[in-house]
Amino acid sequence: MASLVGSRVERKEDKRFLTGKGRYTSDINIANQTYAIFIRSPHARAKIKKVDISKALKSSGVVDILTGEHIAQDKIGGLIAGWAIRSEDGSEMKCPANPPLAKDSVNFVGDPIAVVFAETLDEARAAAELVKVDYKVLKAVSNLGEAMNSETIHDGIDKNLCYDWLLGDRQKVKEAFEKADKIIKLDIVNNRLIPNAMEPRACVIDYNTASEEITCYTTSQNPHLSRLIMSAFGGVAPENKLRVVAPDVGGGFGSKINLYNEEIVCSWASKKIERPIKWVAERTESFLTDTHGRDHITHAELAVTNDGKFLGFKNETIANLGAYARVFGTVTPTYLFGPCATGVYIMPAAYSNVKAVYTNTAPVDAYRGAGRPEATYTIERLVDKAAMELGMDPIEIRMKNFPTEFPFKQTLVHQIDSGDYVAGLNKAKEMADYDGFAARKKESESKGKLRGIGVTSYFEACGIAPSPVVMMLGCGVGLWESAEVRFNPTGQVTVYTGSHSHGQSHQTTFAQIAADELGVPIENIDVVHGDTDKGTFGMGTYGSRSLTVGGIAIVNACKKIVNKGKKIAAKMLEASPDEVDFKNGEFVVAKSNKKKTIGEVAFASYLPGVRDEVKSPLPEGEEPGLIESSFFDPANFSFPAGSHICEVEIDPETGHVKLDKYTAVDDFGTIVNPLIVEGQVHGGLAQGIGQALYENAQYDDSGQLITASYMDYTMPRADDLPDFNLGFTCTKATTNPLGVKGCGEAGTIAATPTVMNAVINALDGKEISLPATAEKVWKACKEMKKSNAKAA
Amino acid sequence: MKKVALEVNGKKITREISDHTTLSGLLRDKLNLTGTHIGCDTSQCGACVVHVDGKSIKSCTALAADLDGSKVTTIEGLATNGKLHPMQEAFKKMHGLQCGFCTPGMVMSAVDLLKNKKNPSDQEIRDWLEGNICRCTGYHNIVAAVKEAASKM
Amino acid sequence: MKTFNYHSAKDVKEASKLASSNSAFLAGGMTTIPSMKLGLASYKDIIDIKRIKKLSGIKVSGKTVTIGATTKHSEVASSKDVKKAIPSLAALAEGIGDPQVRNRGTIGGSIANNDPAADYPSACIALNATIHTNNRSIDAEKFFRGMFETCLKSTEVIESIEFSIPQKSSYQKLPNPASRYAIVGVYVAQHKTGINVGVTGAKSCVYNDKDLAGALTKNFSSSVIDSVKISSSGMNSDIHASSDYRANMVKAFAKKAVDAC
């Protein structure tokens, strides 16, 4: 049987999505359900003086209305930060309480205050309009740069500062900078983004009054973790009385990692009103209340020698947490950002200092890449600027500072097990026809256009691990993953994984892996995920961890199946287990033609006996059945890397940037399914390009989100993007048996600096802030023209 | 309340609806055709695209009452006798979908394109799909799928 | 969206009779329905005029093209007659929204709504359109009053729009990257009687840029546009384009339009 790992297997999940048979949370209806509408703060910062629900309660069809008072009375806990970060001075981070319904104060537009349950959605909406909230409106802190000098949002949190964190050695950096020929300095704003999964968040809750079990169908990337938080911190129900199901989920990109207010409130309320509840966010609600991403202000410096060697790096960043600290909110700008900011380079000395502050905006958390795009943008802009100031080619300066020996101890934290950065950049250079750029630039110029080329080399640290290390660094949970592999007596296999697919294709990829391990046709393998009642506990899907952690748990569980199978087969074949080999789904006794298929072994394991004779196929001490599980905790992160090159053409008359060519060369180690991996890269690129050219979440001074719909928030569309030219190199990961590295975030991490480096290259090095909108580029073109005229 | 009679995926249906029911509301809530998705409230995302009398429209921005007598085809009605439409086949083959949420609207829009243009260029495909937002695929494989379908149809 | 009474009018007379200050006529619904969904508008009565046959269709005479109010953008875009008589008008229709919007949205709805960033109003200005209602015929210059405001009375129904066929013309727009409405759209049309430059997106209401028209009357070339000074005062300013950028884009797109004529 040919190996399925490495082949372009079409997806098992496609048929249901292509025929309208997907089952997303909002497709679920439960008899007798009520409809929920949340009353949300229209103000960015206010004290709640009074919530009057009396009139609304009398409105037609209203079943109940619950407020922050009720939450407090029932002692329902709030939302939490998943990582405790310590400041440079040793003090613990400061986090405000974040109740599921606000009782005393609201801290961003969209902060929920009360919820109406009614017989119909229209009735819920009508009643919601009758809930009167009396506010004392306070001055909003909406500007990140001024947040530390503004009024205190949360009592007891001075300067709105959650922590002031340092990684690295300031003294060593100081010494390195003293030796430098040149210091390259850069000030950047990493623009705020809204993840915008196409499926708006939703939850449907069903409370069983007899069993007292709550079932919560929800749009989550990690149902097990949601259950844990809802139970342990929310106090909604004990874990054994709480089932969380994340059925088909329409994209997440980080925004569905968090457990949200609505899930806690509706789960708690369903028990209270003894009715099922359905809540589906409108897109505007998603814009206002989904966690946002990025939003940093960074000053960074790179110390270099005249011949382009890097000596040291410093990174001073202010990161926006929004109104509250959420699950990955505090770690994204620290351990996911700081260590990666020195990039793929040998950097003798470095530090990253991050001040995370609260503002009256939606909570900021992980968004595809989470910290690593911000880090890569910082270093890759700096490196390009250094090349320009030193008069070097951007590829030459990168090559000069790449490590060539692996494992490579990266400056701040990571021990990178494998990689070949030189090969990746060389391949990208060739595929992009880097050397032909000058001719293409000339051609563009002949049409009155400007052309630029941009290069980025990146690495990513993903599949965060191992658990003792991440917990030592402040994580509230371990980041292992679980799997269970169950053989049916008749030979089909069900694989249960604790990770969750919301587009990543686990039902196909994981089945490929199991098919190879067990020698069972892929058609006979089903992958089950997303239901806390099915399968063991799991940590979910984010940070490109599913394959490198969850996939390996499946491999390990399969290996246990094979081990047990070997013993049973040996007994059946009257051989010693040492003599039995397993290959292509068959247990074969060496140097003989005696064999049993794994299906026969599975059958025997469940039906361990024969008529008229007391004879078991099971060796002494072996239990019946063929089900095995595994919890995999990798020894380290995985470290994908690559080099991307793109070209843009700019119309100086309008400032319009046309993305003309995009080449991506990535090293993801072993690739299980190239079709799917390419899709992950394409999608990641679109989001990174979106950050570079289009997307920008903006709040006004009063804290109103002015990009709260697709009329104002620019989503990349089909006609904005080119075809992508992809290539791969392969150095296998040494920390897992498949040699795989994560691939979900790479495109997003590399694309933003690649595009911006190209735009700035076209503008002769003129700095421009993210995103490079037509107006900004047009202004830069105008200034360029002026300075060129002066020079002439 | 209004009574409307439509032909949906070849079946005649009659339903009592309130005046402000949208076509997407009728399909999802009254006919349990939940393949038609709602991704926004400003008629921009295109997850709700269906065909009415042979043309693609956004079903979230059409009143059911005003479509009395129309023929509607949704994603559920595209395959015939269990055989996938060539566009559905092509999306599968080229991996033109990931999370699947925008997919029904994307496929219905793409089918309408090929009715209007048999062999569209890449640019024509990208222009036509302007009203369908996908967050997962970067559109690359969607364009490839539409081309693949065009070559098969 | 809040509920309303839906009426499908048989004829214009019935539509007009059903109308009140608390009603809206419904054609394609491309603005009306989202506005109601977002709670920005609500009405007691929605009067659907799509089934009134005489409101739809395209007629070309020697000097004019007349388009029925409920004619869809896709019908204008694909009309051989329009393509032949005023190709720029068909191209404008092809560039409105997306294919699904063009399959529903109507010309009458677009101009009655008078969105400051809509495309069709600029065509009305540039092509000396006459708007025929059930009561009267109105010159485009008088029809558009201000932001989302026209001279239509609440019971008045647009029946058709009659465009003069120009000698040459072109419409060029810079779309808003998010909404795809016009940040600036410039419709240049040369008639025997004179030149019009209909500008949409730039200000609170579509207008005829007399300075550009004057300059082009003297010398119909894109180079002459450089010499025209366009003030940014009164121009719209938002997160996608400042007033200064818009003023400059009026020039840039006027040039593109002249070059494309």
Side-chain angles (χ1 to χ4, degrees), chain A residues 400-414:
Chain A
K400 198 160 204 160
N401 291 282
F402 280 160
T404 49
E405 278 175 30
F406 291 85
F408 162 57
K409 174 80 178 73
Q410 184 256 11
T411 323
L412 289 174
V413 171
H414 296 301

Side-chain angles (χ1 to χ4, degrees), chain A residues 335-383:
Chain A
Y335 290 107
L336 299 184
F337 167 67
C340 296
T342 56
V344 278
Y345 308 108
I346 296 166
M347 191 75 74
Y351 77 80
S352 283
N353 173 218
V354 180
K355 296 176 177 71
V357 301
Y358 295 104
T359 59
N360 293 116
T361 62
V364 180
D365 204 292
Y367 169 58
R368 200 172 193 168
R372 290 146 295 178
E374 296 91 317
T376 306
Y377 188 73
T378 305
I379 185 71
E380 288 303 293
R381 281 292 312 116
L382 256 183
V383 168

Side-chain angles (χ1 to χ4, degrees), chain C residues 13-14 17 46 75 86 113 188 204 237 245:
Chain C
K13 206 171 150 193
E14 190 193 2
K17 210 174 145 192
I46 287 289
E75 292 165 345
I86 318 177
N113 187 47
V188 174
S204 60
S237 188
Y245 181 61

Side-chain angles (χ1 to χ4, degrees), chain A residues 120-127, chain B residues 18 20, chain C residues 1-3:
Chain A
T120 69
L121 192 56
D122 283 341
E123 285 170 328
R125 278 206 190 99
Chain B
S18 49
H20 67 305
Chain C
M1 125 171 89
K2 288 189 180 156
T3 197

Side-chain angles (χ1 to χ4, degrees), chain A residues 320-538:
Chain A
N320 200 344
L321 291 176
Y324 306 104
R326 290 278 172 89
V327 171
F328 279 84
T330 52
V331 74
T332 296
T334 51
Y335 290 107
L336 299 184
F337 167 67
C340 296
T342 56
V344 278
Y345 308 108
I346 296 166
M347 191 75 74
Y351 77 80
S352 283
N353 173 218
V354 180
K355 296 176 177 71
V357 301
Y358 295 104
T359 59
N360 293 116
T361 62
V364 180
D365 204 292
Y367 169 58
R368 200 172 193 168
R372 290 146 295 178
E374 296 91 317
T376 306
Y377 188 73
T378 305
I379 185 71
E380 288 303 293
R381 281 292 312 116
L382 256 183
V383 168
D384 247 39
K385 203 174 175 199
M388 198 190 71
E389 291 190 17
L390 295 170
M392 283 175 78
D393 180 89
I395 287 185
E396 186 197 346
I397 196 167
R398 286 176 169 84
M399 290 284 191
K400 198 160 204 160
N401 291 282
F402 280 160
T404 49
E405 278 175 30
F406 291 85
F408 162 57
K409 174 80 178 73
Q410 184 256 11
T411 323
L412 289 174
V413 171
H414 296 301
Q415 173 87 11
I416 298 174
D417 61 337
S418 66
D420 187 344
Y421 304 154
V422 173
L425 184 51
N426 273 331
K427 186 164 182 178
K429 185 181 172 190
E430 191 183 314
M431 281 175 62
D433 184 22
Y434 190 79
D435 296 335
F437 170 71
R440 291 189 293 276
K441 187 176 168 78
K442 221 173 217 173
E443 199 186 319
S444 293
E445 281 168 355
S446 73
K447 296 182 291 180
K449 303 278 168 67
L450 308 173
R451 181 172 278 268
I453 192 161
V455 181
T456 281
S457 295
Y458 77 96
F459 86 105
E460 182 196 353
C462 59
I464 310 173
S467 295
V469 172
V470 297
M471 292 189 75
M472 178 268 288
L473 295 176
C475 186
V477 291
L479 289 175
W480 42 265
E481 193 50 86
S482 75
E484 184 172 308
V485 177
R486 294 187 197 170
F487 249 100
N488 293 325
T490 50
Q492 313 86 33
V493 176
T494 309
V495 175
Y496 296 82
T497 173
S499 62
H500 184 274
S501 174
H502 28 281
Q504 294 88 342
S505 324
H506 296 170
Q507 284 177 305
T508 307
T509 311
F510 288 176
Q512 283 176 253
I513 295 172
D516 273 10
E517 292 292 330
L518 300 173
V520 170
I522 190 167
E523 297 76 21
N524 291 352
I525 300 173
D526 277 321
V527 176
V528 175
H529 64 82
D531 185 339
T532 57
D533 266 13
K534 293 180 183 168
T536 42
F537 198 90

Side-chain angles (χ1 to χ4, degrees), chain A residues 221-273:
Chain A
Q221 294 179 219
N222 48 356
H224 296 275
L225 209 52
S226 286
R227 181 178 70 162
L228 174 66
I229 295 173
M230 212 177 334
S231 185
F233 296 91
V236 171
E239 274 187 278
N240 62 325
K241 294 292 180 191
L242 188 55
R243 176 183 173 203
V244 178
V245 184
D248 286 330
V249 173
F253 314 111
S255 71
K256 293 171 182 170
I257 293 175
N258 271 275
L259 171 73
Y260 282 88
N261 310 59
E262 294 85 0
E263 293 152 294
I264 298 184
V265 169
C266 291
S267 296
W268 157 72
S270 179
K271 194 169 176 178
K272 223 172 160 67
I273 67 172

Side-chain angles (χ1 to χ4, degrees), chain A residues 129 653-654 712 717 719 775, chain C residues 178 180 240-242 245 249:
Chain A
E129 284 186 14
E653 295 287 313
T654 63
D712 297 305
R717 303 205 193 199
D719 58 355
E775 177 165 0
Chain C
R180 304 301 178 92
H240 293 288
S242 69
Y245 181 61
M249 288 308 104

Side-chain angles (χ1 to χ4, degrees), chain A residues 72-337:
Chain A
Q73 279 161 18
D74 283 11
K75 298 192 169 56
I76 296 301
L79 301 160
I80 54 154
W83 289 69
I85 302 296
R86 218 172 263 139
S87 289
E88 187 180 354
D89 66 8
S91 61
E92 291 295 341
M93 69 175 187
K94 295 183 180 70
C95 291
N98 184 188
L101 292 174
K103 184 167 75 73
D104 304 314
S105 64
V106 283
N107 290 303
F108 69 99
V109 173
D111 213 351
I113 291 159
V115 59
V116 175
F117 304 106
E119 300 294 345
T120 69
L121 192 56
D122 283 341
E123 285 170 328
R125 278 206 190 99
E129 284 186 14
L130 300 174
V131 173
K132 292 281 166 260
V133 185
D134 197 3
Y135 297 98
K136 185 186 177 209
V137 179
L138 302 170
K139 194 173 177 329
V141 180
S142 62
N143 185 309
L144 175 59
E146 292 163 13
M148 280 187 285
N149 304 316
S150 302
E151 285 180 34
T152 300
I153 298 171
H154 303 290
D155 289 344
I157 302 183
D158 283 349
K159 293 177 158 183
N160 296 314
L161 187 65
C162 178
Y163 54 73
D164 182 346
W165 173 85
L166 179 78
L167 183 69
D169 188 331
R170 287 184 196 271
Q171 184 55 34
K172 263 175 95 177
V173 171
K174 191 170 167 265
E175 288 161 15
F177 271 62
E178 281 164 2
K179 281 186 254 158
D181 292 328
K182 212 169 170 73
I183 312 285
I184 315 296
K185 296 181 182 179
L186 187 69
D187 285 288
I188 49 179
V189 172
N190 213 287
N191 46 328
R192 186 179 181 114
L193 305 176
I194 300 178
N196 270 302
M198 291 319 294
E199 178 203 26
R201 288 192 297 112
C203 62
V204 176
I205 317 292
D206 190 14
Y207 174 65
N208 185 319
T209 53
S211 68
E212 297 182 354
E213 190 189 42
I214 298 169
T215 302
C216 168
Y217 299 92
T218 182
T219 51
S220 173
Q221 294 179 219
N222 48 356
H224 296 275
L225 209 52
S226 286
R227 181 178 70 162
L228 174 66
I229 295 173
M230 212 177 334
S231 185
F233 296 91
V236 171
E239 274 187 278
N240 62 325
K241 294 292 180 191
L242 188 55
R243 176 183 173 203
V244 178
V245 184
D248 286 330
V249 173
F253 314 111
S255 71
K256 293 171 182 170
I257 293 175
N258 271 275
L259 171 73
Y260 282 88
N261 310 59
E262 294 85 0
E263 293 152 294
I264 298 184
V265 169
C266 291
S267 296
W268 157 72
S270 179
K271 194 169 176 178
K272 223 172 160 67
I273 67 172
E274 296 194 349
R275 291 276 300 272
I277 293 169
K278 180 167 187 166
W279 171 76
V280 180
E282 293 183 351
R283 179 54 65 183
T284 312
E285 278 183 297
S286 288
F287 269 106
L288 292 173
T289 66
D290 287 7
T291 55
H292 294 184
R294 317 280 190 261
D295 208 354
H296 288 187
I297 297 174
T298 295
H299 173 80
E301 296 184 12
L302 181 67
V304 295
T305 62
N306 281 332
D307 62 350
K309 270 273 177 203
F310 302 158
L311 300 176
F313 168 80
K314 54 171 102 159
N315 165 17
E316 300 278 358
T317 290
I318 305 171
N320 200 344
L321 291 176
Y324 306 104
R326 290 278 172 89
V327 171
F328 279 84
T330 52
V331 74
T332 296
T334 51
Y335 290 107
L336 299 184
F337 167 67

